[in-house]
Amino acid sequence: MTARTSKAASRQARTAQAASVEAVRRGPSRIAGYFDAEGLIVIDRVADRFGVSKAQLADTMGVSPETFHRAARAKAPKTQGRAAEMIEIVARVSDWAGGEKQALAWYRAEPLPAFGGRTAESLVKDGKAAAVRDWLDHVATGGFA
């Protein structure tokens, strides 16, 4: 891979993450409480609402626990994008699961047959959040799981 290709791929990833953050920010009112006045996801609010420690949240998001010890890292596009993807997927299934905490448990542990038994968490960590969202849309419209 050339440096030019690598830079283009990195730019595309940052653009996709920014779009994901924006989509979540404009999403349902139940997730509005995750954001500060600048439109950034506040990690402490997410951890509190899900009833997990910041270390557990970091593990769920696939980032280092040290990421949350520095404001600049917590506000970084990669961290914000990963948090937005997780929040969006959890919010989509919270009504089906019986609440946000149950939806987070589903996100972390439920094997999805359509993805070879992988969990939503593992798929998002591998950059496949869009595939999970598409699958959830498919199931929501009456498609087979």
Side-chain angles (χ1 to χ4, degrees), residues 9-20:
S10 178
R11 189 171 36 257
Q12 284 179 324
R14 284 192 307 272
T15 302
Q17 288 172 337
S20 181

Side-chain angles (χ1 to χ4, degrees), residues 1 12 33 42 48 53 55-56 80 94 97 112 117 128 131 137 140-141 143:
M1 181 184 285
Q12 284 179 324
V42 180
D48 288 344
S53 69
Q56 290 169 320
Q80 289 287 305
S94 65
L112 305 176
K128 295 178 173 51
D137 289 343
T141 59

Side-chain angles (χ1 to χ4, degrees), residues 92-103:
R92 284 184 182 205
V93 300
S94 65
D95 288 338
W96 303 344
E100 288 178 331
K101 291 178 182 175
Q102 293 87 345

Side-chain angles (χ1 to χ4, degrees), residues 21 24-25 31-37 39-42 45 80 84 87:
V21 169
V24 170
R25 191 177 65 74
I31 60 177
Y34 294 123
F35 294 90
D36 64 11
L40 295 172
I41 296 170
V42 180
R45 291 180 191 170
Q80 289 287 305
I87 291 168

Side-chain angles (χ1 to χ4, degrees), residues 62-76:
V63 298
S64 168
E66 289 78 29
T67 300
F68 300 147
H69 294 296
R70 291 201 158 157
R73 287 185 185 175
K75 293 179 179 181

